[in-house]
């Protein structure tokens, strides 16, 4: 489907029904798949042939949706996971092991910050956090001999820092490692990191891709562009025999699909963070309207950002769609059609005022979620980033009074009216 526009891909990629077959992707709600001979199944277990034998490793419904997302991002392959967190973990753990090191931008989702900075540390993988806006010569200092990957978000959650993808891709490649970009907020509708040098893309499909808060999921997409063999000493898991699969060398047997094949046949086999076929089906329904919803999210968010930016009780608004925003020029480069529907802003009254404001909202919901069709609001210091100290909050680009507003696709005048009445009550 590479010749089609993304609006068409969202509807048709990944599954092409044959004569008399279901028009919609079928839900293959089965754990196992039957074969006529033992030899046929044995070849699947040996990775000698493609096919399905157990849903923990592969399922037709999941694979169709993964193939659609791979096409949307311009990748060679993808794997669905049970959550965005699982996607982040697999993306890094697929090429890292005890004794290795990763670099990550500091202004990222709190769960990712904790995963890379705390949990992976327990597995012997160290992480250095860097300021995405730092000059290249400063970022160079973060690289070590055992660095295996650079991780960042195209639009940081919730700080809304826009990543200079080209800069980070060039840095990573100079040191022989891939750049992994979480593209959840921008979605492939507004940003395609592979075009700017990124090697692997992840998403929390729970957000805009689903769009209706109906399923939890994640995805990893591989561009197929990183040359693992050229840096074979750094990535032995891909370039040397895997004894758990009869000595298969992934790069030699699967070429550009080496990374995704390893993630599926090794990590999913052993860790099992799969989505149900039912969830993949729900995700696909969301993907079909993704371009329409993203356009409306961006339109509404810009109107709301302009309103908040002019309000006397608002100290600061972060939204790259505003001409005066720090990241406006980067957004024009990487996301010329819009960024996302998420706005971060701070009230002059600080933390207490933020809580009063949120508790006074009537249309917008206080939920631990973001990026779905309905407007929702969250106080990161109390919710997603609650585990961080005040110092860590600042490092992550989250002030104690920061409010994250995910603007939905309701009528924008209704959204603004709700904000107006809540701001009146905030001291």
């Amino acid at each position: 489907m590479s010749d089609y526009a993304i609006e068409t891909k969202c509807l048709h990629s990944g599954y092409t029904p044959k004569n008399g077959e279901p028009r919609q992707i079928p839900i293959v709600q089965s754990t196992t798949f039957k074969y006529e001979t033992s030899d046929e199944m044995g070849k699947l277990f040996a990775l000698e042939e493609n096919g399905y034998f157990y849903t923990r490793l592969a399922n037709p419904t999941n694979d169709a949706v993964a193939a659609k997302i791979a096409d949307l991002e311009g990748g060679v392959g993808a794997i669905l996971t049970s959550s965005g967190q699982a996607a982040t973990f697999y993306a890094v753990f697929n090429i890292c092991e005890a004794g290795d090191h990763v670099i990550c931008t500091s202004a990222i989702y709190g769960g990712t910050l904790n995963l890379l900075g705390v949990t992976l540390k327990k597995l012997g993988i160290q992480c250095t956090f860097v300021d995405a806006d730092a000059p290249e010569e400063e970022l160079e200092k973060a690289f070590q001999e055992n660095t295996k990957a650079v991780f960042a978000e195209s639009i940081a959650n919730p700080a809304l820092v826009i990543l200079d993808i080209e800069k980070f891709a060039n840095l990573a490649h100079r040191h022989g490692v891939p750049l992994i970009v979480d593209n959840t907020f921008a979605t492939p509708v507004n940003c395609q990191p592979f075009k700017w040098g990124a090697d692997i893309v992840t998403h929390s499909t729970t957000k805009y891709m689903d769009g209706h808060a109906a399923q939890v999921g994640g995805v990893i997409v591989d561009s197929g562009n990183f040359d693992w063999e050229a840096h074979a000493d750094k990535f032995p898991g891909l370039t040397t025999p895997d004894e758990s699969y009869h000595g298969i060398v992934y790069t030699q047997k699967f070429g550009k699909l080496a990374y995704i094949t390893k993630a599926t046949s090794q990590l999913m086999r052993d860790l099992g963070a799969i989505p149900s076929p039912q969830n993949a089906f729900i995700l696909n329904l969301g993907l079909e309207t993704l371009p329409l919803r993203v356009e409306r999210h961006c339109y509404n968010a810009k109107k709301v950002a302009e309103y908040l930016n002019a309000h006397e009780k608002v100290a600061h608004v972060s939204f790259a769609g505003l001409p005066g925003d720090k990241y406006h020029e980067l957004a024009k480069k990487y996301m010329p059609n819009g960024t996302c529907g998420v706005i971060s802003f701070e009230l002059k009254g600080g933390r207490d005022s933020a809580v009063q404001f949120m508790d006074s909202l009537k249309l917008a919901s206080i939920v631990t979620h973001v990026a779905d069709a309905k407007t929702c609001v969250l106080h990161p210091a109390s919710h997603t980033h609650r585990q961080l100290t005040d110092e860590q909050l600042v490092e992550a680009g989250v002030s104690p009074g920061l409010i994250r507003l995910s603007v939905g696709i309701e009528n924008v005048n209704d959204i603004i009216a709700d904000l107006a009445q809540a701001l009146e009550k905030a001291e």
Side-chain angles (χ1 to χ4, degrees):
M1 303 286 296
S2 59
D3 293 335
Y4 289 100
I6 197 163
E7 293 86 353
T8 305
K9 290 181 178 182
C10 279
L11 288 163
H12 294 281
S13 287
Y15 172 69
T16 304
K18 298 176 183 176
N19 189 46
E21 291 186 339
R23 182 64 190 85
Q24 184 56 275
I25 292 175
I27 304 171
V28 183
Q29 196 68 42
S30 180
T31 61
T32 54
F33 301 82
K34 177 183 177 294
Y35 287 87
E36 298 294 331
T37 69
S38 176
D39 184 58
E40 286 179 298
M41 183 169 284
K43 288 179 179 178
L44 296 173
F45 272 95
L47 300 183
E48 293 175 2
E49 291 187 4
N50 293 323
Y52 301 99
F53 56 92
Y54 198 58
T55 284
R56 188 175 79 240
L57 281 95
N59 174 282
T61 308
N62 295 2
D63 281 3
V65 180
K68 174 177 284 189
I69 296 173
D71 196 24
L72 298 180
E73 286 286 7
V76 297
I79 177 176
L80 297 186
T81 61
S82 59
S83 69
Q85 281 291 88
T88 299
F89 175 57
Y90 278 22
V92 174
F93 199 56
N94 200 34
I95 51 177
C96 291
E97 58 186 41
D100 287 341
H101 172 257
V102 297
I103 295 170
C104 182
T105 52
S106 56
I108 55 170
Y109 168 58
T112 303
L113 193 79
N114 200 70
L115 170 64
L116 299 183
V118 179
T119 302
L120 284 187
K121 188 176 181 179
K122 296 175 182 177
L123 299 177
I125 300 170
Q126 301 295 322
C127 182
T128 297
F129 292 98
V130 298
D131 182 353
D133 298 332
E136 289 193 36
E137 54 269 23
E138 184 177 327
L139 294 170
E140 287 275 3
K141 298 174 184 177
F143 286 87
Q144 303 174 12
E145 288 188 8
N146 59 341
T147 300
K148 297 298 176 66
V150 177
F151 188 95
E153 295 174 349
S154 55
I155 304 177
N157 174 16
L160 301 182
V161 173
I162 303 293
L163 182 72
D164 190 339
I165 302 172
E166 239 180 350
K167 178 177 81 171
F168 274 85
N170 290 336
L171 274 166
H173 296 161
R174 282 204 295 270
H175 291 270
V177 301
L179 172 63
I180 305 172
V181 174
D182 182 332
N183 198 32
T184 297
F185 272 13
T187 82
V189 173
N190 281 345
C191 181
Q192 295 182 338
F194 293 156
K195 292 181 178 179
W196 301 99
D199 302 289
I200 298 154
V201 159
T202 65
H203 288 267
S204 169
T205 63
T206 318
K207 309 304 190 298
Y208 286 121
M209 284 189 167
D210 170 323
H212 303 86
Q215 62 83 47
V216 174
V219 68
I220 306 168
V221 186
D222 184 15
S223 68
N225 293 331
F226 191 82
D227 191 344
W228 307 103
E229 286 282 355
H231 309 283
D233 58 324
K234 284 182 175 289
F235 306 104
L238 286 163
T239 61
T240 61
D242 179 358
E243 298 307 325
S244 70
Y245 266 118
H246 316 293
I248 280 175
V249 178
Y250 291 100
T251 51
Q252 293 178 10
K253 187 171 181 62
F254 300 103
K256 288 183 176 294
L257 289 170
Y259 176 90
I260 284 295
T261 302
K262 179 178 179 292
T264 303
S265 59
Q266 191 183 86
L267 296 189
M268 197 61 84
R269 175 197 65 190
D270 295 344
L271 301 174
I274 60 164
S276 71
Q278 179 72 52
N279 275 13
F281 177 83
I282 292 170
L283 167 60
N284 185 64
L285 292 179
L287 287 170
E288 290 188 348
T289 61
L290 181 64
L292 296 172
R293 289 184 288 102
V294 165
E295 182 179 3
R296 180 61 173 265
H297 280 294
C298 291
Y299 172 84
N300 281 0
K302 186 173 182 181
K303 292 291 186 183
V304 169
E306 289 170 347
Y307 168 77
L308 290 171
N309 199 43
H311 200 283
E312 60 181 9
K313 290 187 178 181
V314 176
H316 175 72
V317 176
S318 292
F319 181 69
L322 293 175
D325 188 86
K326 179 179 180 181
Y327 299 102
H328 186 65
E329 292 304 314
L330 278 177
K332 284 169 61 177
K333 175 180 178 178
Y334 294 115
M335 306 160 202
N337 296 321
T339 54
C340 65
V342 182
I343 296 169
S344 289
F345 67 99
E346 189 167 1
L347 299 184
K348 292 177 180 177
R351 183 190 287 261
D352 292 341
S353 183
V355 172
Q356 284 181 321
F357 165 80
M358 291 175 60
D359 290 350
S360 300
L361 291 166
K362 296 177 180 179
L363 178 65
S365 302
I366 300 175
V367 294
T368 310
H369 197 242
V370 68
D372 71 45
K374 299 172 184 175
T375 296
C376 52
V377 64
L378 181 138
H379 182 228
S382 299
H383 305 145
T384 54
H385 291 61
R386 190 180 185 92
Q387 74 275 21
L388 304 183
T389 65
D390 284 348
E391 290 76 17
Q392 288 173 322
L393 284 172
V394 172
E395 186 178 349
V398 179
S399 62
L402 187 75
I403 296 169
R404 185 183 70 183
L405 177 66
S406 178
V407 181
I409 59 174
E410 302 97 339
N411 184 287
V412 71
N413 294 324
D414 291 333
I415 298 172
I416 291 174
D418 189 37
L419 298 177
Q421 64 84 24
L423 283 168
E424 280 184 20
K425 299 170 184 175
E427 298 296 331

